Amino acid sequence: MAQQLEIEFKNVLTKQQYEQLLEDFQIKENAIHRQTNHYFDTPSNAIRKLQSGLRIRIIDTYYECTLKEKSSKHAHLETTDVLTATHAEKMLAGQGFYAPEVAKRLALHNIPLEQLAVFGSLTTDRVEIPYKDGLLVFDHSFYLQCDDYEVEYESKDEIKGNAIFDEFLQQYGIEKQIAEKKIARFIKAIQSIKQ
């Protein structure tokens, strides 16, 4: 189990900006890794009401369950349990909950584990690059009928991280357009389909 405070800054990119950044940073095809997030909530959206997100992330043969709880504008408390493939498959099928530390956090919010179900999945092609005491991330996500692109910067310090990220955007001529969390964009896409 890992618990950490994630401080991240996000910005929307166009397809052209994304492709230009891959070129500028000389990203080879084999440096792009595919991951899929499977999102959970209760029928009453108990997790979303907490401004939180619960997911199982799959990267090749690696599986983890993470609860992200908002703690400030740019920071989230992340609680993560590594899962076996069997446990991940059972959780995705609604056959039990095998992430003990995540379960403890959910219990603090009185969220019934038996009501949790997958409401959708989102796939991302991701590049991660160490950058100025932090991590720079280029993401191309696809879900439902959507394709989107974003840049993230993860930092250990909110003030320094904000300054570094603003400087990065200026340096690469990228207009500041704060990106919502992936789960928020995914939910909006679901809602627009239902309308």
Side-chain angles (χ1 to χ4, degrees), residues 32-188:
I32 300 172
H33 299 285
R34 179 159 288 181
Q35 61 187 38
T36 301
N37 290 345
H38 300 281
Y39 296 113
F40 290 77
D41 210 335
T42 65
S44 64
N45 297 315
I47 293 173
R48 185 165 47 150
K49 287 174 184 165
L50 293 171
Q51 292 189 301
S52 298
L54 177 63
R55 68 171 184 234
I56 286 180
R57 174 171 284 172
I58 302 172
I59 307 168
D60 297 323
T61 57
Y62 174 79
Y63 304 81
E64 67 180 21
C65 179
T66 301
L67 176 67
K68 289 178 96 159
E69 299 171 79
K70 190 170 183 139
S71 61
S72 75
K73 185 178 178 188
H74 293 288
H76 288 78
L77 177 67
E78 287 193 349
T79 304
T80 300
D81 285 299
V82 176
L83 303 171
T84 64
T86 303
H87 283 163
E89 285 162 19
K90 284 185 171 182
M91 286 174 69
L92 291 169
Q95 299 168 351
F97 198 87
Y98 300 94
E101 297 303 319
V102 170
K104 286 178 195 169
R105 294 295 305 173
L106 292 170
L108 292 175
H109 299 292
N110 299 310
I111 293 173
L113 300 181
E114 66 279 0
Q115 288 186 20
L116 291 170
V118 176
F119 66 86
S121 304
L122 176 149
T123 299
T124 300
D125 285 340
R126 168 166 283 190
V127 175
E128 296 181 342
I129 307 157
Y131 184 82
K132 297 188 179 182
D133 291 333
L135 187 70
L136 198 56
V137 179
F138 305 141
D139 278 348
H140 170 206
S141 297
F142 29 102
Y143 49 98
L144 305 173
Q145 288 90 32
C146 303
D147 250 294
D148 64 34
Y149 303 86
E150 70 184 318
V151 59
E152 292 181 12
Y153 179 65
E154 294 181 14
S155 175
K156 290 175 180 63
D157 181 285
E158 199 162 335
I159 294 164
K160 265 174 55 180
N162 200 14
I164 289 168
F165 191 58
D166 284 349
E167 188 182 283
F168 168 84
L169 294 177
Q170 276 187 329
Q171 184 182 342
Y172 288 91
I174 298 167
E175 183 190 343
K176 199 166 190 174
Q177 294 180 69
I178 296 166
E180 291 182 287
K181 292 244 165 253
K182 287 179 182 65
I183 191 168
R185 301 196 309 261
F186 183 81
I187 288 167
K188 274 191 178 168

